[in-house]
Amino acid sequence: MDIREFVDTLDREGRSLAAAAEKAGMGADVPTCAGWQVRDLVRHTGMVHRWATSFVAEGRTSYHPDGGLPDLDHDELLAWFRDGHRRLVDTLAGSSPDVRCWTFLPAPSPLAFWARRQAHETTVHRVDAESALGGDPTTVPPDFAVDGIDELLLGFHGRDRSSVRTEEPRVLRVRATDLSDAVWTVRLSPGPPRAERGDHADSDHQDVHVDCELAGPAASLYLALWNRAPFPSVTGDASLATLWREKSGITWS
């Protein structure tokens, strides 16, 4: 996906998040985010949008803390969210491709990083907002879901801070059943996970022993790996699926 596609996704998903939040009401519980009400979700996502905008718009080349959560609610909170979302979309759409600013995951460029990261951030939280309405969330396109799994496995959990670890080496396989090339091999150990795209053989060209496979349509795996839905299918040692549930959460800090 290119930057324009990510920005278009961010635009659409942010508007859908606001619409779902407005329909559910600020006091509705968010089943996919334990302990949160819709107002908490809107405040958090709006804060992240403004934080992301500041790096690109101001060319900040080092980490800068967020601006905190607003003391707003109901219509004022929704208006604040929509304004911040619009500014993020406009900033990303109007910035030079060679803009220089701080990022925290590998990417072709800082602009590509922020467009991708905010598209996925907003999509996951749109699913959260829709969970407050009950029923199934609007589906995520398979290609976008695959990109999000790439970002999660190779990006977020490629960092030293990942807590998905095992005492002995284990191999977790993630397989999207609706796309032919969407397979990931995740090597677990006492250190950070090491994920690769594909069915990778070892140095002797022998098939890798897989201890657990998580499989299903890309969109379902995307939500499951972000801990928003159950895993469609777990084959092998289910304790590794439990480990993922318990240790893979990405928290704001």
Side-chain angles (χ1 to χ4, degrees):
M1 296 179 65
D2 62 25
I3 292 173
R4 181 71 257 173
E5 290 175 299
F6 284 126
V7 174
D8 287 346
T9 298
L10 166 63
D11 187 7
R12 180 180 64 254
E13 295 287 348
R15 288 185 282 108
S16 295
L17 190 161
E22 185 171 31
K23 185 175 180 180
M26 293 298 110
D29 291 333
V30 181
T32 51
C33 297
W36 271 17
Q37 295 180 328
V38 168
R39 60 172 57 89
D40 302 306
L41 175 67
V42 174
R43 287 169 182 160
H44 167 78
T45 313
M47 173 272 290
V48 173
H49 285 173
R50 283 168 164 75
W51 178 74
T53 300
S54 71
F55 289 102
V56 180
E58 300 171 30
R60 289 177 168 170
T61 56
S62 60
Y63 172 80
H64 188 83
D66 64 78
L69 301 176
D71 186 19
L72 298 171
D73 208 348
H74 302 297
D75 290 347
E76 287 184 334
L77 178 57
L78 278 171
W80 173 85
F81 173 85
R82 286 178 167 126
D83 177 66
H85 170 248
R86 185 76 261 147
R87 282 195 282 137
L88 174 60
V89 169
D90 290 346
T91 295
L92 293 172
S95 292
S96 170
D98 61 0
V99 65
R100 289 284 164 253
C101 62
W102 179 81
T103 63
F104 60 87
L105 294 177
S109 70
L111 187 62
F113 165 80
W114 284 110
R116 180 198 206 191
R117 176 80 290 277
Q118 291 307 302
H120 288 294
E121 174 86 8
T122 307
T123 298
V124 171
H125 287 319
R126 183 269 296 166
V127 170
D128 293 332
E130 290 183 349
S131 78
L133 296 171
D136 295 329
T138 305
T139 191
V140 177
D143 288 348
F144 182 73
V146 166
D147 180 82
I149 296 171
D150 263 344
E151 185 198 43
L152 185 61
L153 297 182
L154 280 65
F156 278 105
H157 288 287
R159 301 184 297 173
D160 289 343
R161 63 191 298 178
S162 175
S163 298
V164 183
R165 304 181 184 215
T166 53
E167 292 185 6
E168 300 295 331
R170 308 297 296 279
V171 175
L172 178 67
R173 170 110 351 116
V174 177
R175 184 184 302 277
T177 54
D178 53 342
L179 295 170
S180 60
D181 61 345
V183 182
W184 297 260
T185 300
V186 186
R187 289 175 171 83
L188 304 176
S189 72
R194 291 294 175 252
E196 300 173 274
R197 185 79 173 267
D199 290 309
H200 286 279
D202 62 21
S203 58
D204 295 323
H205 304 288
Q206 300 297 312
D207 289 340
V208 172
H209 171 74
V210 175
D211 297 289
C212 178
E213 179 169 290
L214 310 175
S220 298
L221 283 176
Y222 176 74
L223 296 184
L225 289 165
W226 275 104
N227 294 317
R228 263 55 183 193
F231 288 113
S233 171
V234 178
T235 304
D237 185 354
S239 71
L240 295 185
T242 301
L243 174 72
W244 185 271
R245 282 269 178 257
E246 294 176 346
K247 298 296 186 179
S248 70
I250 307 297
T251 57
W252 186 258
S253 60

